[in-house]
Amino acid sequence: MKAALLHQFDESLNGPDWLSYEDVSDPIMEEPTDVIVRIGGAGVCGTDLKLIEGLWCDHMRIELPIILGHENAGWVEEIGVAVESVQVGDPVILHPTVSGDLQGSGATGSHHFRKRGFYPGFNRNGGFAEYMLAEESMLLKLPSHLSPMDTAPLADAGLTAYNVARRASKHLIPGHYTLVIGAGGLGHLCIQILRALSSTEIIVVDKSETALDLARSVGAHYTFIADEHYTEKILALTGGKGVETVIDFVGKDSSVNKGLFVTRRGGHYYLVGYGGRLTISTLELIRSEKTIVGVLGGTFSDLKELLTMVDRGLVTLTTREYSLSNANKALRDLKDRRNKGRTVLIP
Amino acid sequence: MKAALLHQFDESLNGPDWLSYEDVSDPIMEEPTDVIVRIGGAGVCGTDLKLIEGLWCDHMRIELPIILGHENAGWVEEIGVAVESVQVGDPVILHPTVSGDLQGSGATGSHHFRKRGFYPGFNRNGGFAEYMLAEESMLLKLPSHLSPMDTAPLADAGLTAYNVARRASKHLIPGHYTLVIGAGGLGHLCIQILRALSSTEIIVVDKSETALDLARSVGAHYTFIADEHYTEKILALTGGKGVETVIDFVGKDSSVNKGLFVTRRGGHYYLVGYGGRLTISTLELIRSEKTIVGVLGGTFSDLKELLTMVDRGLVTLTTREYSLSNANKALRDLKDRRNKGRTVLIP
Amino acid sequence: MKAALLHQFDESLNGPDWLSYEDVSDPIMEEPTDVIVRIGGAGVCGTDLKLIEGLWCDHMRIELPIILGHENAGWVEEIGVAVESVQVGDPVILHPTVSGDLQGSGATGSHHFRKRGFYPGFNRNGGFAEYMLAEESMLLKLPSHLSPMDTAPLADAGLTAYNVARRASKHLIPGHYTLVIGAGGLGHLCIQILRALSSTEIIVVDKSETALDLARSVGAHYTFIADEHYTEKILALTGGKGVETVIDFVGKDSSVNKGLFVTRRGGHYYLVGYGGRLTISTLELIRSEKTIVGVLGGTFSDLKELLTMVDRGLVTLTTREYSLSNANKALRDLKDRRNKGRTVLIP
Amino acid sequence: MKAALLHQFDESLNGPDWLSYEDVSDPIMEEPTDVIVRIGGAGVCGTDLKLIEGLWCDHMRIELPIILGHENAGWVEEIGVAVESVQVGDPVILHPTVSGDLQGSGATGSHHFRKRGFYPGFNRNGGFAEYMLAEESMLLKLPSHLSPMDTAPLADAGLTAYNVARRASKHLIPGHYTLVIGAGGLGHLCIQILRALSSTEIIVVDKSETALDLARSVGAHYTFIADEHYTEKILALTGGKGVETVIDFVGKDSSVNKGLFVTRRGGHYYLVGYGGRLTISTLELIRSEKTIVGVLGGTFSDLKELLTMVDRGLVTLTTREYSLSNANKALRDLKDRRNKGRTVLIP
């Protein structure tokens, strides 16, 4: 099959061609609950750039070459003998890993997983390819009128945005403000989910006017360019108090510092993006009684609930599609923030 | 009346005599809901040392001289014309401020407070004195068999320990471990409250063997000296996963770093002590999906609930009493960690 | 002043003229926190008919004659010496009672209420009059562009609808259905609040086509006439499972039986209306693991949050106004369900 | 193998010998995830009497003859080809059904169950036998020092008691009272779990002095004989307010009426036992703002958490063992309440 492979890390992200588009052998089923999926679309994520940089190597054993792509949807091509919940030909979206238990609680039931530590697109071959090896428990059947290429970004960008918006909606009450930092692939979905699950007023900051256009078109109440002065504008808007909730999809030093600064006393700062450091004096943290939450992905239930919302028209994806052979251009355009919404590769 | 006054800050905490024991005029009532309390006992807190250092000056306007003491109990001496809930002679404990709404939510009812921003022992005269000006809404009547000198530490050390233990108990399930860093005035109460409100297994670390003795006697399941190797011991004890919850009553750089390090994936790190900085890479924070919570004091309801526990014998205070004229010695002994439990001044 | 008085109960509700429009003496302030409010509008509620029937006499001491009216808004006319949060002339809405603590928890802070058990329109004179005695802690200032006559129904119909919708929204997830029984004064507000706070799909049943029209215009997704067959239609719509949440604003035997019947396994049935009995076999209740919740009014915070939503245009009231001298006609039209939305009396 | 079979229902429970002890063929595996368990102990439950009465026939298709027994522990005898989490010889306890999802939420993950609607001891052969057919997802391995005969009652009595105590502990605060109605197999476990998870004061009522002895020995704070006057005693004890939480393990008309009567305003009434009817006027329900919850069993996580508590000595079972050939005597003694704690059959 055709696939886009990463053969070596590029710490400085200078290289023009990070992935190599080539022929590789098809994936092979190993377990009775395995499934081969024919990829319909694979989302391109900031994390793919971070993987190329080698940033995840401290946290996970990654053997090269590897096929990236952790945000996948497609059609069932072949199933193991024990698979019962899907049939060959079914359109499916793939949860990023085999467990619904991403939250680390270890307390959600009688899961007996055969493939622990299996993270396609991180430490196993992912979806920047024609076919991918998956496990039955990762698969969620798509409603017939939703296509894999249009829904792939729900598998990670949507999942994470839903997880964080759902959690925030539990403590957001009418009168509360939420600041969304970054209106890209995740941000433009999070805005819509927040609107559907709460009545919070949504402020969006981004460096790009195009992104702010998208933010406004999907329901942001206030938008500000991410310059030096946006924190003052937010304090002015909120009577000097700051916002109840910040959702930071950027995670660089400056977004973290500014985001924490405008979080009001007793408020919540959710960190989703990464790359920088979070630093705060302990006196400042206890005095302001803030809560800081690291968020990664979401559960299988989150994916089901999000799909229900998309199915009902409460959330609409904005995507730009590239052919798989153009993976490097897609990654470069993502790095340069040239596109609105999410980038998707089509094999 | 007699009082112990702070006349000047001492940034290096070198001075032998921080407070001056002298005669000052009695407090005077200003509002119809004011109350004068005759102090029975006033707890001495690490925060008093931090106030003497001048560490709070960036966060609050503090005019010198001032009478410190934010952890007070006593008897009602005189009441304003609108006061209805207490009578002269009643034994009372004093919530640290006029509002039950320390959490900053602004959403707990129809409070109409006359004294916003009134923090005795911080920006107003506190309880290191014979008498203190309070407000009706701060006062909680003591059951007849509990004395002000014995319960004063509940007003802040107990209140804060209860607040954090109550919050942790909402997500602690059987099988979860909790690490308590620091078994002093707050820690020895927190251990008891955790045992009463959950079935978590409690690990305590402290630099002092005396403090660990106290920890064991009030119910700690495991205790370790706070040396270089305690994190390894905790990982060994928890099968390499770390603990679900850390409650850090120290808040120095090293306790924060170690505490965050042993917080398991998806776990909670509660910060109560302060003095250092918290620093974490954003990738590490999102990958481990931790929640970091700054905690300060507690609500009026927290104080009532804690008092109920003490009344039923579920929580027992360990204190050492000094006369008010010995305030400097009490502060020095606290600084040098010479005592078990909480230090209390008696006028 | 002019007022509409109830001089005697009418168990069968046959009488044409339940209230007598007459001159009575103006209310007089008794406590330093008392406030006299000039009534701008007073909502008419099904509970007023039940009070006239004498249905509340078993639960509360009601001395006749009395001025009904527990859903009030107006302008501050006169204030006691201790009142600080409002000034003469301020437009205000009145929480139904002096405490924000309607939920019975007794655990929300340091409230010192002077008028416990004071329920205007139930056991004290209410707002079917030109002036009414209130207490400072009941009053919430209106934004300048909202008028008392337009907002009065928020004080009880809105408050209760908000309370129940807020609680339901905590457990409603995308894909869940909510059945609202009754689309009158409370129901038409509840539909809007549910839409703002959750993404539940809303089914509404009512005996009146006019009410269903109103339901659709404010956002109901499905509407059914409350005939013998509606439960079958709901089962058909929900794949035989029933709905996650029922909110019953009627509370008669038939609505309770049908409502409980279509509540799915593990679902919630909220009872707001009353008049009939709830009966269920204990085997059926444990087997289906349902939760049944009685709801009455809401807290002061609920009222603030609702007012925020109205202020932002998320909730719009439909009302019909009558002059106070026409109180009997307003009550008859309510009894016969001749109006859309809520009925309001204007002095 | 030997088994105790129910050949016909006995509506009046008059018959001396409900079950027939006889030879039947061994169970046979059907699916790759099936497991045959050699029974070590099988708890006897009030529900077994209700099944014999035919009370469950309206809710479930039950074909006779059937082997009862839904509370089982034993050793793995044989495993299907896809089974990975247990090995032959492992001591195991059996969750009552194949899914951790007893709560009906349908929202807990990617479970792909092969045996939906499989309830051993209800509609399939259960554990009153030497061997039983189970499914891998039902099995929880026992720590080596816990034996199947001693832990069997955890599988249902313990599971249900844990579920309800866990839920109650989320809203119980210091100062709250809990009334436990019935101190038998479930009640004596629930008392211990409530003590471990909360600081509520526990009141127990039962008709039997022996049961109240057991209740006191496991931690009840107050005990009352279940006569006509116990509600008055509870009101006297609670200052006329009633208790925050009732847990009713009896579920007859009189326990339901009395239990609801002493539930305080805003309190919770949990129904676990069954047999009678629950009836309440809707006015009374809304005025008192009570919450009524039907509880059945618990999740797989509940079972794991409970086992952790038993393992740590926080919960101790009181049981009386009978040989399987004495099943009828065990059932009669249960009906006549002759034993303390839970009754267990040993094959």
Side-chain angles (χ1 to χ4, degrees), chain B residues 31 33 82 84-85 98 100 106-114 136-137 300-301 304-305, chain C residues 31 33 82 84-85 98 100 106-114 136-137 300-301 304-305:
Chain B
E31 306 278 353
T33 54
E84 300 201 341
S85 59
V98 289
T108 52
S110 57
H111 305 262
H112 300 306
F113 297 111
R114 283 162 187 79
E136 181 181 15
S137 72
F300 196 85
S301 295
K304 283 201 289 189
E305 294 168 26
Chain C
E31 307 278 355
T33 52
E84 300 200 341
S85 59
V98 289
T108 51
S110 57
H111 304 262
H112 300 305
F113 297 112
R114 285 161 185 80
E136 181 181 15
S137 72
F300 196 84
S301 294
K304 282 202 289 191
E305 295 168 23

Side-chain angles (χ1 to χ4, degrees), chain A residues 4-11 18-20 22 24 48 50-57 60-68 121-125:
Chain A
L5 270 78
L6 177 68
H7 284 277
Q8 61 177 73
F9 299 112
D10 177 6
E11 208 173 315
W18 300 298
L19 305 186
S20 151
E22 57 191 79
V24 298
D48 293 316
K50 302 230 168 64
L51 283 159
I52 293 167
E53 283 184 81
L55 205 64
W56 279 80
C57 294
M60 215 173 229
R61 210 161 71 98
I62 301 172
E63 285 176 45
L64 300 184
I66 194 164
I67 304 172
L68 297 183
F122 285 81
N123 60 3
R124 305 298 170 97
N125 282 330

Side-chain angles (χ1 to χ4, degrees), chain C residues 259-300:
Chain C
L260 276 172
F261 178 73
V262 299
T263 305
R264 65 175 278 179
R265 194 173 167 199
H268 289 72
Y269 170 82
Y270 292 95
L271 180 72
V272 186
Y274 58 93
R277 296 187 78 70
L278 182 155
T279 304
I280 187 168
S281 99
T282 52
L283 174 51
E284 169 57 21
L285 183 55
I286 66 112
R287 208 189 57 85
S288 62
E289 297 179 271
K290 286 168 188 167
T291 297
I292 299 169
V293 186
V295 177
L296 178 70
T299 63
F300 196 84

